[in-house]
Amino acid sequence: MTAEQLAKAKALGFSDKQLAFLTGRSEDDLRAMRARLGLVPSYRLVDTCAAEFEAHTPYYYSTYDRGDDEVKPSDRRKVMILGGGPNRIGQGIEFDYCCVHAAFALKEDGFETVMVNSNPETVSTDYDTSDRLFFEPLTLEDVLHIYRRERCWGAIAQFGGQTPLNLALDLERNGVNVLGTSPGSIEIAEDRELFAAMLQKLDIPQPPNGIATNEIEALRVAQRLSYPVLVRPSFVLGGRAMQIVFSDAELQHYMRFAVEASPQRPVLVDKFLEDATEVDVDCIADVGQFSSPDEGHVVMGGMLEHIEFAGVHSGDAAMVLPPHGLTDASMRTIRAYTHAMARELKVVGLMNVQYAVKGERVYVLEVNPRASRTVPFVSKAIGVPLAKLAARVMAGRTLADLGFTAETWPDHWAVKESVFPFNRFRGQDILLSPEMRSTGEVMGLDADLGIAYAKSQMAAGTPLPLGGRVFFSVNDADKPHAAAVARGFAELGFELVSTPGTARVLADAGVKVQPIFKLQEGRPNALDLLKNREIQLVVNTPSGQAPRADEVRIRTTAVYTGIPIMTTLSGARAAILGIAALKRHGCGVKALQEYT
């Protein structure tokens, strides 16, 4: 490739990575070639005030066309903040919240903030958020150009989710001062073998697991662990292509059609812990700033208990803060494990840990040494701006300086509920899985847990009914527990209608129930009652990995008609708790500030 060809290719928009692939060389080689030729982009200004007033926060974009470079670097110390890029399922506005709060905190501390993001729909790209905005893709090439052009002091990759975090190691290798937890520690948390070695050293259990690079290896690992197993590609976003499999046939289908496995792209296989309670923990630490791992502080911001059992992605699960069903011993163990891992990884800033609690045994599922999607929720629930504190810690402050060295345990309940786009996708089943599908979240706060849950359902657009009929149909595995849940609805004054199998189980347990036809057996059936608004709530748990078509039709019809639906018995129990509280106390409203 000649210099002229390279210049033309760059002007046409080809990235270094694309050109390296096309010419059979490495990206580093191509970058070095550009450097020798002095071929770098210039930056043009988007005048946010249309020349009517001076633009105090200019937007910049890069170009290889010849012309003046309109960036005028200042002498102030700059911190680059890497945003999350385009909003998509698995990485959304929660990370943008963290980037915005980082910009605000660092500006208050005298830094000039340089935001790099490519999404016009987020607050991080608003004119008054940062001092400078570069409207560029989050690639190694583009980030390095901006970092060097602006002569930044450091860069924050922790707040934009997985996309900028994946760049951290390469940025450090190219001379970028990556603020916060070191890229080496991030690699330990992301690499399955390094992570397992760390847990073994700390004597912290994780579910039995293995790694597979092809179908035969995956089958061998799954048979060793015994089904069900959780399979997923490594380094995924939002649980993409993550699945619980129950047989060799399902695993073979997954390996052949769902993922591309290779030594560079291994598939992770974990023993799936059925009926375990999942717990998310967000903490903040400054231990990496000290020479001794015993110095500094690790402070847990929040411990969130999932309402659904393990197996639902944390971005989709309803959660309660503080935990309502964990024992004191389990919470002590979770706290001890969190502190031990934060110190071992020398965390500076935020860290998220996901646990599974089965009985009294606590397992670590995953550690993310970065901001998580629950940080905004936790910050609002406890009244502490965790993202702001983390940004200041990453810029050199300590938690002792900032006066945050002890946990804040709220004296009210905060419930997080997810919002889904199912009404936009007709025919799409609404069942939750390890793959994230939500597009937003809402919050319910109250001194009563039931009211807090009920408020979260109101905010999500499906308020709980205070009376009427409940359609109750559960799978065979849930039938031993169905009568107790159904009785809870009956005691609240609801009528119960069920398909014959579930109706028989409930009647045998002494619960009054009206049997109705299955869809293919006759009318009136569940669809008729839903369309006529003769059902006010649906409890329908799925019958296996390949749900029957009539189940899907019932669940999707409930969504389209705006009728609340619970697809787990744990969700149904939470609904009973909420309805009982509403009947008992009614629903009051207070400002967020009155709670925190």
Side-chain angles (χ1 to χ4, degrees):
M1 176 175 275
T2 65
E4 291 76 15
Q5 288 172 326
L6 180 58
K8 185 176 181 182
K10 295 304 291 183
L12 288 170
F14 284 86
S15 69
D16 285 353
K17 193 169 188 176
Q18 289 171 310
L19 293 172
F21 173 77
L22 292 170
T23 56
R25 57 181 88 189
S26 73
E27 190 177 351
D28 287 342
D29 288 343
L30 203 93
R31 190 178 300 113
M33 179 181 176
R34 276 199 304 101
R36 285 195 303 274
L37 296 170
L39 186 58
V40 294
S42 58
Y43 292 91
R44 303 287 173 78
L45 175 73
V46 177
D47 189 345
T48 52
C49 296
E52 290 189 55
F53 312 99
E54 181 185 354
H56 292 288
T57 304
Y59 290 19
Y60 295 103
Y61 66 95
S62 65
T63 176
Y64 278 87
D65 291 340
R66 290 173 183 167
D68 292 336
D69 191 322
E70 297 180 317
V71 171
K72 296 178 176 59
S74 70
D75 294 329
R76 294 171 60 198
R77 192 155 65 151
K78 299 183 186 67
V79 173
M80 171 190 282
I81 301 167
L82 302 182
N87 277 3
R88 54 214 186 272
I89 291 176
Q91 181 164 304
I93 207 69
E94 305 95 335
F95 296 112
D96 202 66
Y97 165 100
C98 296
C99 293
V100 169
H101 278 247
F104 289 165
L106 294 173
K107 283 169 75 174
E108 289 167 10
D109 285 0
F111 291 94
E112 185 171 315
T113 54
V114 178
M115 186 72 66
V116 181
N117 207 354
S118 56
N119 189 345
E121 298 298 324
T122 57
V123 183
S124 66
T125 54
D126 280 358
Y127 73 94
D128 57 351
T129 296
S130 57
D131 293 303
R132 290 170 184 261
L133 169 67
F134 284 82
F135 214 79
E136 294 290 283
L138 287 150
T139 67
L140 179 65
E141 174 185 349
D142 293 289
V143 171
L144 285 176
H145 283 153
I146 299 164
Y147 186 87
R148 291 164 180 167
R149 183 70 186 81
E150 284 283 5
R151 301 196 292 274
C152 294
W153 169 69
I156 291 178
Q158 257 192 40
F159 286 166
Q162 195 66 37
T163 300
L165 201 71
N166 287 345
L167 297 176
L169 205 58
D170 284 333
L171 289 173
E172 186 181 58
R173 286 173 182 153
N174 282 276
V176 172
N177 176 25
V178 178
L179 302 180
T181 306
S182 73
S185 292
I186 293 170
E187 188 76 1
I188 291 171
E190 296 274 357
D191 184 282
R192 176 54 62 99
E193 292 178 356
L194 296 175
F195 182 56
M198 182 193 78
L199 294 183
Q200 191 170 11
K201 174 184 174 183
L202 298 175
D203 195 24
I204 294 175
Q206 67 176 147
N209 61 80
I211 298 176
T213 59
N214 56 54
E215 183 181 315
I216 294 171
E217 287 182 10
L219 288 168
R220 195 177 298 134
V221 172
Q223 288 159 5
R224 172 173 60 84
L225 299 178
S226 78
Y227 291 101
V229 294
L230 180 69
V231 287
R232 56 180 166 146
S234 49
F235 297 93
V236 296
L237 176 70
R240 187 169 49 83
M242 194 183 292
Q243 188 175 317
I244 301 166
V245 299
F246 292 82
S247 67
D248 284 353
E250 286 182 18
L251 183 57
Q252 286 172 317
H253 185 274
Y254 177 86
M255 295 298 293
R256 290 173 188 174
F257 302 109
V259 295
E260 180 186 341
S262 68
Q264 291 75 38
R265 295 170 177 265
V267 169
L268 313 178
V269 186
D270 293 285
K271 173 64 180 171
F272 177 63
L273 303 173
E274 294 184 277
D275 299 331
T277 299
E278 201 161 326
V279 180
D280 260 66
V281 169
D282 284 309
C283 76
I284 183 170
D286 60 4
V287 292
Q289 295 183 359
F290 298 89
S291 55
S292 167
D294 298 325
E295 293 184 89
H297 291 87
V298 179
V299 183
M300 282 178 45
M303 188 187 298
L304 301 98
E305 180 181 346
H306 293 211
I307 289 175
E308 292 85 2
F309 282 128
V312 174
H313 191 279
S314 61
D316 289 351
M319 300 183 189
V320 179
L321 173 75
H324 70 293
L326 298 182
T327 64
D328 289 342
S330 294
M331 288 193 280
R332 282 195 299 272
T333 301
I334 287 171
R335 187 175 286 108
Y337 288 172
T338 302
H339 281 243
M341 288 186 290
R343 291 191 179 280
E344 182 67 21
L345 291 169
K346 300 181 177 63
V347 171
V348 179
L350 292 166
M351 182 178 83
N352 169 262
V353 190
Q354 294 168 25
Y355 294 97
V357 181
K358 192 170 174 66
E360 287 295 313
R361 184 89 161 149
V362 177
Y363 297 89
V364 173
L365 300 178
E366 191 175 323
V367 173
N368 297 301
R370 58 165 169 80
S372 76
R373 59 180 55 80
T374 48
V375 164
F377 174 83
V378 171
S379 298
K380 292 179 181 185
I382 67 173
V384 177
L386 294 176
K388 278 189 170 183
L389 294 179
R392 289 186 163 117
V393 165
M394 293 161 78
R397 305 280 292 277
T398 67
L399 288 173
D401 293 340
L402 300 170
F404 187 65
T405 57
E407 291 177 24
T408 299
W409 205 257
D411 55 6
H412 56 271
W413 299 97
V415 176
K416 187 206 90 163
E417 183 56 282
S418 298
V419 178
F420 299 92
F422 297 126
N423 60 348
R424 306 288 181 89
F425 299 97
R426 291 197 171 266
Q428 175 72 41
D429 196 5
I430 68 168
L431 288 183
L432 302 183
S433 72
E435 183 166 356
M436 185 173 166
R437 304 170 83 184
S438 67
T439 51
E441 59 187 39
V442 293
M443 180 184 211
L445 291 176
D446 203 89
D448 182 289
L449 176 57
I451 298 291
Y453 180 78
K455 285 179 176 179
S456 73
Q457 302 310 297
M458 293 177 201
T462 51
L464 297 172
L466 298 181
R469 279 179 170 175
V470 176
F471 172 70
F472 203 92
S473 178
V474 298
N475 61 39
D476 291 340
D478 285 334
K479 280 175 181 170
H481 313 288
V485 178
R487 189 175 288 110
F489 284 110
E491 289 170 354
L492 290 170
F494 287 87
E495 295 177 34
L496 293 167
V497 295
S498 295
T499 47
T502 303
R504 205 161 32 247
V505 171
L506 299 184
D508 290 346
V511 179
K512 186 179 178 182
V513 59
Q514 176 192 343
I516 59 172
F517 291 114
K518 290 186 174 181
L519 300 194
Q520 68 272 22
E521 292 176 345
R523 309 179 81 165
N525 54 46
L527 284 188
D528 297 323
L529 298 179
L530 284 167
K531 290 174 181 176
N532 294 335
R533 310 281 176 163
E534 295 177 52
I535 288 175
Q536 281 65 51
L537 190 141
V538 174
V539 178
N540 179 229
T541 64
S543 59
Q545 284 300 102
R548 292 191 295 267
D550 55 350
E551 289 181 7
V552 176
R553 289 175 68 194
I554 289 169
R555 289 192 284 265
T556 55
T557 302
V559 170
Y560 302 147
T561 52
I563 293 168
I565 177 167
M566 307 294 161
T567 58
T568 62
L569 287 185
S570 55
R573 292 188 191 100
I576 291 169
L577 187 70
I579 293 166
L582 285 174
K583 281 175 164 280
R584 194 166 54 245
H585 303 302
C587 181
V589 177
K590 288 164 69 174
L592 176 67
Q593 290 79 4
E594 293 180 71
Y595 287 103
T596 56

